[in-house]
Amino acid sequence: MDLKLRKPPETSSKASSTMANDISKNLKPDIQFIRFDSASLGYGVGQDQSMSEVSPQLVSQSRCFYAPERETKIKNHLGLSSAIDWNPRLMLSNLSFLEQKIHQVQDIVRSIISQEDHAVDRGNELAAQQQLVTADLTYIIIQLISTAGTLLPNIKNALLSTDPAVGQQPSSAVGTNANLSSCAGQKPIEILPPEVAKSSEYDELINDLDACAGEGDELINCLNNAGGAELSDSMPIDDHDAKDYDDGMDGENLPPGSYEVLQLEKEEILAPHTHFCLICGKGFKRDANLRMHMRGHGDEYKTPAALAKPSKEASSEPPIIRRYSCPFVGCKRNKEHKKFQPLKTILCVKNHYKRSHCDKSYTCSRCKTKKFSVIADLKTHEKHCGRDKWICSCGTTFSRKDKLFGHVALFQGHTPAIPMDDSKVSGAPDQVPASESTNGMAGFNFTGSTTPNDDARSLDIKGADDCQGYFSPMNFDACNFVGLDEFPRSVYEVSESPFSFLSTGSCSFIQRHGEN
Amino acid sequence: MNRQRPWDCDMATVFSLDLLANILDRVPDPRDRKSCRLVCRGFLRAEELHRRSLRVLRLEVLPGLLRRYASGLECLDLSVCPALDDRSLSAALAAGVDRLRLRSVSLSRASGVGWRGLMALVDACPRLEAVDLSHCVGVGDREAAALAAAAGLKELRLNKCLGLTDVGLAKVAVGCAGLEMLGIKWCLEISDIGIDLLAKKCQDLKELDISYLKITNRSINSISSLGKLEVLNMVGCSDIDDEGLQSLKHRNNSLRSIDVSRCENVTSSGLTSVIEGSNCLQKLNVGDCFPELAPHFLLKLNCLKDSLTVLKLDGFQVSASSLKIIGLNCKNLAKIGLSKCQSVTDEGISELVASCVHLTTIDLTCCHLLTDKALMAIGDQCKQLRCLRLESCSLITDKGLEYIGTCCSNLEEIDLTDCSITDTAMQNLSRCSKLLVLKLGLCYMISDEGLVHIASNCRKLHELDLYRCVEVTDDGLAAIATGCKLIRKLNLCYCTKITDRGLKHIGHLEDLHDLELRGLCHVTSSGIAKIAIGCRRLSELDLKRCNLVDDEGLFALAQYTENLRQINISYCPVSGMGLCMLLGTLKCLQDVKLVHLSLVPVEWFEIALRASYEKLKKLKLLTGMRKLLSPLLIEKLQLRGCRIRWVDKPPAAC
């Protein structure tokens, strides 16, 4: 790819310290991006994992093109120009680049079509090409938006500036959340009518490209949000919400009608990011993270006011209680449901939707069995996975002691198995004096004087100690071999004796184990 | 040559074995029974068949004893059996007949026994009902799992089995569902989860000891579902408060005894709910919980009017009016504990005893305000008094004890430690001919004359404490040795006037088990030898700071006191040879204190301990020794279950 060559010459000419910083940062993603295009062809299209990994790179890749715009924006800030002040030349160059890019994609698609005719078995190559197309299209979208985005930062800058007159606009909503969606929302329209056309244009543009999967989604959603009439201008996502996995509103009993019900669309819910940098387009899950990120774009974002959490002080009247509905019709959390139970926050909506109505695409890498649709759930599980140290005699494993004891209480005859380490310790004391017992008991062998029958029985006891009729292969591995492991040597020999048939399963195991 | 003595066979033919066994049953003293056994085969055979319980003092005889008494033996006490471990226990059990009929086995402090031994025990004794593993600190879940195979188990004591966790408890709870008595005091690993499962699985529990566990109200809630529970001991459960006790309110009233002493967060209201829930309560111990008794609690005692017999209120602020209410409400009270209730006055005691005339035990330890008036009241009212504890009641005098001596002829135990009494009091007390326990520690004015009075009449005396009775001399001991032949426990610490001559008299006390001679600076090895030769049953001996006792004394002990189980020779001028002789020869020795033996080189320590590591269960050594002794030896000792206490004490403190 020739992306690197596309770097506008103006960037290098302006050598402010922050700029230089940005460029050096940008160079790296470039390389990665190229590698992605050429090498990582195996990515499944539309897979969340791969996409979420790639997206920041894509976004940052596009950042180098913003550099000139940022300068204009900085100028804006210095009070040099009015709200709409953009560089038509730059716009043109960007557009012509886009055109080229589109041609490229067209070529690839054509070649795919031609391949389809004679080569059937080249699935790999085809997939690779599809991948390439997707990536290219994604890139085009981002590029397009960023090009168009040149228009938007002007508003944003105005909003984020420390100017008190602007900060106390009647549209408190804008103040609370200065991301792209809110900027393009309805309220700003009143202030800056010319923007409406622009934003709706994006909408159309995006809709045309709707086929493009994955990466573009977030942007699409983002813009959808902007267009969505019922979406609130402030998304009540707080940091602590992230830890709150509760779907519902347990313990809350709001009478119907006492709150406003919002319903996000599926795409909005599944969007990975909700806050976007208007300069470079990078997406963030939290507004606070975006604000931190903005610091890199210039000193004006480092002021306490810019960094402060947007407060809702402007709304002195009691806040409207807002609850959310799941877009999935028939779901209890859907507002059409008879026993509708609203969701408390956006985060609840997201987690609920993913858990209840989406595929469980995240598989635990350790146990390979547990699947999750919410990545946080996976992480929580992975913390404990493989550490199921609480084992019942029936072989069932538990991660928590109280769960095991609940199970034991429920089933007759089940007992907790004794953990491995413990038995090793308690078995040890007998080994040491065994070698040098010099008193009257000298020469006495623990199992030596018992009858063969006793041996067989004690063996049987060992085998069945922890299971008491609830024998399962899992159980065997999990607990019983612990006991056998440390049982005196003579027991191993018994396994070869005529009594070995008494517990065939355990005996064969012993033999195997004894050989070690 | 081969002639049988004529009556040898006669005895067995004339009387049936049943009859002989009946005769033996009427011989309570083990020594007398032994004589009977030795006299003729008939008795020997009768005893073999009818002996029910056995306490084993030496390991080597265990297999033979089990073989001989297999038919009838039900209770086996191995708690003092030295060097018992898995191997020897299973060997002994295997040497017995096919199936032992043992019902109860005590392995308390048998620290060498692990899960293999217990497994062999459970295997050999299908009728096992009671097992005591208290103070086997090494016992953990494995051992509990081995015990759980004994499905018929009804009584299980696992006090201070430090390794026991919820898992082990669950094993026992599931395996022994018929459990009626369980002691898990000091099993600190056990939590609410384990107790909850126990309550679900063992519904027949009648007695439960959960003292000092880190459990919360949740456990009490689980326990409240035990419908047959009669005795609940929960000393020192500081996480439990009134809310937990309230869950005991709504249960049927099977509870007979509850001990909530030292539960810091329990108050009157919690106890009130306990009383409401169980109105047949007989024993109530609320010592050291909360300082003041609320009136509503005192009034609630009325619910227990007929049933309550034991009430312990240690450490409370008990006013005279409170005691009056207690007296009026609990007329059947037999035992009352007012230890450390410093506000108790003569008036209060008078009010109490005026109503509670059946009192047999009164504990007034550290009630500093009491005078002779209280004793007069007690003497007047409590004719059945058997036990009176007056430690540190410094205002009482000989006059008060005169009342006790004349009125309470049933008195068996009296504690006068740290009271300012004289020989006159002894003269008065000597009228109590049933006296078994007499404690006169720190009564500096007691002299030989007083002991002569005691010796003249208290012939049943079992225990005598003369700690720091500095006026007592050899003559006093001579009187005691002739008058009180049954003394088993004698404390002569710091009675510095005692010499070897006194110990010679002590040597005549054949029953003596426990002798403390701490700090007797005139006593030499020859005196110790006299004791060693005379007191063959001696099992505990304290010779700390006997500055003249050297190797000679230890040689004598090694040779004669074969039952010696516990010895303290700290600060004695003994050499390595004596120590080796002592530790190597005495087969029953289990508890040894060897602090500051300055004449013993480390090598000798090493040899002595190596010679005895199998039997030692407790050992006290200087911290400095830890680095000097070989790590292998220390490891070996600890693997055998021996607990080593490393102390840091000044060499020549007095």
Side-chain angles (χ1 to χ4, degrees):
Chain A
M1 300 283 146
D2 51 349
L3 295 173
K4 267 198 277 187
L5 307 172
R6 293 271 155 196
K7 208 176 286 166
E10 296 96 313
T11 353
S12 51
S13 63
K14 290 279 177 187
S16 77
S17 62
T18 46
M19 289 309 296
N21 233 346
D22 277 341
I23 292 158
S24 64
K25 270 186 216 156
N26 290 340
L27 282 173
K28 218 172 175 183
D30 279 352
I31 297 156
Q32 283 174 351
F33 182 53
I34 290 159
R35 202 187 298 142
F36 164 76
D37 264 354
S38 55
S40 59
L41 301 168
Y43 277 116
V45 181
Q47 282 242 326
D48 286 358
Q49 279 159 302
S50 55
M51 279 313 168
S52 59
E53 256 175 55
V54 170
S55 59
Q57 290 161 13
L58 285 172
V59 174
S60 53
Q61 156 64 22
S62 59
R63 281 163 73 184
C64 59
F65 295 94
Y66 295 146
E69 298 144 29
R70 226 176 298 149
E71 285 154 43
T72 57
K73 180 189 68 206
I74 291 162
K75 274 185 214 150
N76 289 349
H77 245 282
L78 297 169
L80 291 178
S81 67
S82 62
I84 303 164
D85 183 351
W86 52 283
N87 188 345
R89 278 191 203 128
L90 182 67
M91 178 70 93
L92 189 65
S93 79
N94 278 349
L95 285 175
S96 58
F97 168 66
L98 275 176
E99 201 180 350
Q100 273 184 1
K101 192 78 191 167
I102 288 167
H103 282 308
Q104 275 178 7
V105 178
Q106 275 176 339
D107 287 343
I108 297 169
V109 174
R110 271 194 209 100
S111 76
I112 291 172
I113 294 164
S114 65
Q115 276 169 9
E116 271 175 353
D117 293 339
H118 37 91
V120 190
D121 289 337
R122 301 170 70 187
N124 266 348
E125 206 174 305
L126 189 69
Q129 280 167 331
Q130 279 176 350
Q131 186 77 47
L132 211 59
V133 172
T134 318
D136 276 346
L137 286 173
T138 315
Y139 174 73
I140 292 165
I141 296 161
I142 291 165
Q143 191 55 41
L144 197 61
I145 290 164
S146 62
T147 310
T150 2
L151 309 172
L152 297 170
N154 301 321
I155 317 161
K156 188 178 148 77
N157 287 338
L159 293 173
L160 280 179
S161 72
T162 49
D163 186 357
V166 186
Q168 291 172 1
Q169 279 180 64
S171 60
S172 63
V174 181
T176 53
N177 198 340
N179 62 19
L180 186 60
S181 56
S182 60
C183 293
Q186 285 188 326
K187 284 177 181 171
I189 288 170
E190 295 161 14
I191 315 160
L192 296 164
E195 292 307 305
V196 181
K198 299 290 179 195
S199 64
S200 60
E201 268 171 27
Y202 304 151
D203 262 336
E204 281 168 22
L205 187 61
I206 298 308
N207 286 336
D208 289 344
L209 291 166
D210 219 359
C212 171
E215 175 55 31
D217 270 1
E218 64 178 271
L219 295 162
I220 296 165
N221 291 334
C222 172
L223 289 172
N224 276 350
N225 287 359
E230 61 179 0
L231 179 74
S232 73
D233 33 23
S234 69
M235 294 200 179
I237 296 177
D238 286 322
D239 284 1
H240 60 81
D241 276 351
K243 283 160 196 123
D244 180 16
Y245 294 139
D246 274 346
D247 276 346
M249 27 185 296
D250 307 311
E252 194 189 48
N253 252 331
L254 290 174
S258 68
Y259 51 87
E260 181 185 349
V261 178
L262 299 181
Q263 182 171 304
L264 280 77
E265 288 313 307
K266 179 189 165 199
E267 289 77 15
E268 296 169 50
I269 291 168
L270 294 178
H273 298 148
T274 41
H275 305 270
F276 292 90
C277 172
L278 295 181
I279 299 164
C280 64
K282 187 170 179 186
F284 294 92
K285 280 182 182 161
R286 295 181 192 142
D287 185 41
N289 293 351
L290 174 64
R291 272 181 274 131
M292 289 299 119
H293 161 86
M294 292 309 285
R295 292 179 303 173
H297 287 308
D299 284 337
E300 72 271 26
Y301 298 108
K302 290 177 184 168
T303 59
L307 286 170
K309 189 179 175 180
S311 63
K312 293 166 185 168
E313 60 192 39
S315 53
S316 56
E317 72 267 18
I320 305 159
I321 303 170
R322 208 167 268 128
R323 292 293 176 264
Y324 298 88
S325 155
C326 167
F328 193 92
V329 179
C331 173
K332 202 177 182 182
R333 305 295 196 173
N334 183 267
K335 58 188 172 190
E336 308 301 333
H337 195 276
K338 267 187 223 163
K339 293 176 182 173
F340 171 55
Q341 283 189 318
L343 293 152
K344 221 170 186 175
T345 65
I346 296 263
L347 199 81
C348 293
V349 178
K350 286 187 162 194
N351 283 341
H352 159 78
Y353 193 84
K354 283 182 190 166
R355 282 184 187 132
S356 311
H357 312 301
C358 287
D359 287 340
K360 295 182 173 181
S361 49
Y362 303 112
T363 312
C364 171
S365 56
R366 265 189 236 174
C367 64
K368 316 270 188 213
T369 47
K370 283 261 185 186
K371 293 183 169 186
F372 303 91
S373 48
V374 177
I375 200 149
D377 293 354
L378 172 71
K379 282 178 181 164
T380 311
H381 163 79
E382 277 183 336
K383 268 182 206 161
H384 304 285
C385 183
R387 292 203 287 172
D388 282 353
K389 54 174 183 170
W390 300 106
I391 308 164
C392 176
S393 55
C394 70
T396 321
T397 59
F398 300 88
S399 58
R400 282 166 52 183
K401 186 161 87 169
D402 54 336
K403 298 287 175 196
L404 166 63
F405 275 68
H407 168 90
V408 167
L410 207 59
F411 295 97
Q412 203 73 39
H414 289 213
T415 62
I418 293 168
M420 295 192 180
D421 303 339
D422 186 47
S423 62
K424 289 269 161 60
V425 172
S426 66
D430 222 46
Q431 311 300 329
V432 179
S435 54
E436 45 173 302
S437 63
T438 50
N439 61 356
M441 290 300 150
F444 169 69
N445 188 338
F446 177 63
T447 45
S449 66
T450 53
T451 62
N453 192 22
D454 279 332
D455 271 357
R457 194 182 52 228
S458 63
L459 174 71
D460 206 39
I461 287 164
K462 278 317 293 171
D465 167 32
D466 282 322
C467 30
Q468 304 188 347
Y470 303 90
F471 223 87
S472 77
M474 194 172 174
N475 171 26
F476 215 88
D477 290 342
C479 30
N480 281 331
F481 98 87
V482 183
L484 293 167
D485 192 16
E486 50 156 354
F487 210 64
R489 195 92 195 142
S490 53
V491 178
Y492 300 142
E493 286 146 31
V494 173
S495 62
E496 276 116 40
S497 79
F499 299 94
S500 56
F501 69 88
L502 284 174
S503 52
T504 32
S506 51
C507 281
S508 62
F509 181 79
I510 297 157
Q511 270 175 322
R512 261 186 284 119
H513 200 78
E515 281 159 18
N516 294 337
Chain B
M1 297 284 279
N2 236 344
R3 199 172 64 92
Q4 283 186 322
R5 276 166 291 177
W7 44 271
D8 193 5
C9 44
D10 282 351
M11 194 67 109
T13 46
V14 172
F15 303 113
S16 69
L17 284 178
D18 282 350
L19 217 53
L20 291 178
N22 254 321
I23 296 169
L24 276 179
D25 282 347
R26 282 163 177 74
V27 182
D29 191 318
R31 278 179 303 172
D32 298 343
R33 288 171 75 118
K34 189 176 180 184
S35 308
C36 291
R37 268 200 320 263
L38 294 173
V39 151
C40 82
R41 288 207 182 115
F43 272 128
L44 185 67
R45 185 84 194 109
E47 220 222 354
E48 275 174 22
L49 290 174
H50 286 267
R51 184 155 190 144
R52 294 287 176 266
S53 68
L54 191 62
R55 187 166 193 247
V56 184
L57 298 180
R58 275 190 214 74
L59 182 62
E60 57 269 21
V61 296
L62 179 62
L65 286 175
L66 283 181
R67 213 176 301 126
R68 190 196 296 171
Y69 293 111
S71 54
L73 202 60
E74 289 180 350
C75 303
L76 181 63
D77 186 347
L78 298 172
S79 58
V80 293
C81 188
L84 188 72
D85 60 10
D86 287 348
R87 214 173 294 109
S88 44
L89 180 61
S90 27
L93 291 166
V97 263
D98 292 344
R99 284 281 180 272
L100 288 165
R101 300 173 67 183
L102 283 177
R103 284 227 294 259
S104 162
V105 174
S106 171
L107 288 166
S108 172
R109 293 178 209 274
S111 49
V113 176
W115 60 272
R116 293 196 188 97
L118 290 174
M119 210 175 234
L121 177 74
V122 169
D123 218 24
C125 313
R127 299 189 181 186
L128 209 56
E129 283 180 3
V131 174
D132 186 350
L133 279 175
S134 317
H135 301 277
C136 296
V137 287
V139 164
D141 294 342
R142 282 261 128 193
E143 284 73 19
L147 277 178
L153 215 58
K154 289 197 170 124
E155 284 182 33
L156 183 57
R157 287 178 177 83
L158 295 169
N159 300 337
K160 214 168 185 178
C161 292
L162 296 177
L164 191 73
T165 71
D166 288 339
V167 173
L169 184 63
K171 288 269 184 202
V172 169
V174 173
C176 320
L179 218 55
E180 289 179 1
M181 189 272 149
L182 179 65
I184 44 173
K185 190 176 181 177
W186 284 309
C187 296
L188 300 175
E189 299 287 321
I190 287 174
S191 71
D192 288 340
I193 297 172
I195 300 289
D196 187 49
L197 188 73
L198 176 75
K200 278 177 185 151
K201 295 284 181 184
C202 302
Q203 288 283 329
D204 291 337
L205 270 177
K206 285 182 182 157
E207 193 176 339
L208 184 60
D209 189 344
I210 48 168
S211 302
Y212 299 101
L213 296 193
K214 286 169 186 156
I215 50 171
T216 67
N217 292 338
R218 245 186 78 199
S219 284
I220 303 301
N221 201 19
S222 310
I223 287 168
S224 68
S225 70
L226 294 169
K228 296 178 183 171
L229 195 69
E230 290 177 4
V231 179
L232 178 60
N233 292 336
M234 36 183 281
V235 182
C237 295
S238 46
D239 290 338
I240 290 171
D241 56 26
D242 294 344
E243 203 185 324
L245 291 183
Q246 265 165 20
S247 54
L248 292 174
K249 194 172 176 177
H250 308 291
R251 44 168 295 132
N252 56 19
N253 41 26
S254 66
L255 208 61
R256 297 283 179 273
S257 159
I258 187 166
D259 187 343
V260 292
S261 50
R262 294 176 198 280
C263 294
E264 295 156 8
N265 292 319
V266 166
T267 71
S268 289
S269 73
L271 288 173
T272 310
S273 41
V274 170
I275 294 171
E276 279 171 15
S278 32
N279 46 27
C280 294
L281 213 58
Q282 291 168 0
K283 292 186 183 180
L284 183 58
N285 188 345
V286 291
D288 303 303
C289 288
F290 49 97
E292 287 207 49
L293 285 170
H296 62 97
F297 167 70
L298 290 171
L299 290 173
K300 270 287 172 209
L301 285 175
N302 193 29
C303 304
L304 307 172
K305 209 173 205 166
D306 302 320
S307 62
L308 198 70
T309 53
V310 180
L311 181 61
K312 285 199 174 186
L313 298 168
D314 301 358
F316 277 91
Q317 300 288 336
V318 191
S319 63
S321 58
S322 298
L323 282 174
K324 186 178 182 183
I325 299 170
I326 290 171
L328 288 173
N329 282 333
C330 315
K331 288 202 191 302
N332 288 330
L333 220 52
K335 296 186 182 180
I336 187 152
L338 296 169
S339 163
K340 286 167 278 173
C341 300
Q342 298 186 355
S343 59
V344 169
T345 57
D346 293 340
E347 190 195 345
I349 295 297
S350 308
E351 297 278 10
L352 179 74
V353 294
S355 310
C356 305
V357 290
H358 303 299
L359 275 172
T360 57
T361 300
I362 302 176
D363 186 351
L364 299 171
T365 305
C366 296
C367 296
H368 301 297
L369 300 177
L370 293 187
T371 67
D372 290 338
K373 281 181 191 163
L375 294 186
M376 280 152 85
I378 290 172
D380 279 344
Q381 300 291 336
C382 308
K383 303 289 181 196
Q384 300 163 17
L385 194 69
R386 287 212 289 266
C387 173
L388 182 60
R389 299 207 176 90
L390 297 168
E391 183 183 340
S392 290
C393 296
S394 42
L395 297 179
I396 62 166
T397 65
D398 297 344
K399 200 181 163 210
L401 286 173
E402 193 182 339
Y403 281 89
I404 300 294
T406 43
C407 301
C408 306
S409 54
N410 288 320
L411 200 67
E412 290 173 359
E413 181 182 345
I414 187 160
D415 186 347
L416 295 167
T417 308
D418 206 7
C419 295
S420 37
I421 48 165
T422 67
D423 290 335
T424 322
M426 291 302 106
Q427 192 180 1
N428 294 327
L429 278 180
S430 66
R431 289 177 204 163
C432 307
S433 57
K434 293 177 181 172
L435 207 60
L436 298 176
V437 179
L438 177 59
K439 294 191 179 179
L440 300 170
L442 297 165
C443 298
Y444 303 104
M445 289 179 277
I446 299 291
S447 69
D448 292 343
E449 196 188 325
L451 293 186
V452 169
H453 287 302
I454 294 294
S456 64
N457 201 26
C458 305
R459 299 192 173 271
K460 289 183 174 177
L461 205 63
H462 264 199
E463 184 181 339
L464 180 60
D465 184 349
L466 296 171
Y467 181 84
R468 284 193 199 271
C469 291
V470 284
E471 295 298 320
V472 172
T473 68
D474 297 338
D475 297 330
L477 293 185
I480 291 291
T482 46
C484 313
K485 289 243 174 232
L486 297 175
I487 284 190
R488 297 161 58 95
K489 194 172 164 155
L490 182 59
N491 189 340
L492 298 173
C493 294
Y494 304 105
C495 299
T496 41
K497 286 185 180 171
I498 291 174
T499 67
D500 287 347
R501 195 168 61 87
L503 294 193
K504 190 183 165 193
H505 296 299
I506 299 296
H508 295 303
L509 295 169
E510 288 181 9
D511 273 337
L512 201 63
H513 275 75
D514 185 342
L515 179 60
E516 294 190 43
L517 302 173
R518 217 176 258 216
L520 298 190
C521 45
H522 300 299
V523 164
T524 68
S525 287
S526 70
I528 300 300
K530 293 282 190 313
I531 286 176
I533 295 165
C535 311
R536 304 298 285 270
R537 303 179 151 235
L538 201 64
S539 66
E540 293 181 29
L541 181 61
D542 191 340
L543 295 174
K544 187 177 173 183
R545 292 184 198 278
C546 289
N547 296 330
L548 298 176
V549 174
D550 53 14
D551 286 357
E552 296 287 320
L554 297 193
F555 287 150
L557 288 172
Q559 197 176 345
Y560 295 107
T561 54
E562 50 186 3
N563 288 319
L564 199 66
R565 217 161 50 229
Q566 186 176 327
I567 192 165
N568 186 348
I569 50 169
S570 302
Y571 300 91
C572 288
V574 296
S575 77
M577 186 66 96
L579 183 66
C580 280
M581 191 72 183
L582 187 78
L583 292 188
T585 317
L586 290 175
K587 284 183 173 163
C588 292
L589 210 58
Q590 296 169 13
D591 186 340
V592 191
K593 297 190 173 84
L594 307 171
V595 182
H596 279 300
L597 301 182
S598 48
L599 300 180
V600 182
V602 178
E603 298 78 43
W604 285 94
F605 260 111
E606 185 96 15
I607 295 167
L609 291 176
R610 269 176 197 272
S612 58
Y613 82 88
E614 276 199 316
K615 58 200 175 198
L616 288 186
K617 290 177 184 172
K618 266 172 122 179
L619 184 58
K620 194 169 177 183
L621 290 170
L622 267 188
T623 315
M625 297 291 286
R626 194 174 206 161
K627 285 171 192 155
L628 300 173
L629 290 173
S630 78
L632 188 72
L633 174 67
I634 295 172
E635 190 187 342
K636 258 186 190 175
L637 281 166
Q638 283 167 343
L639 281 176
R640 290 287 304 200
C642 177
R643 294 173 70 205
I644 308 176
R645 256 185 78 201
W646 305 99
V647 292
D648 223 355
K649 289 199 173 166
C654 350

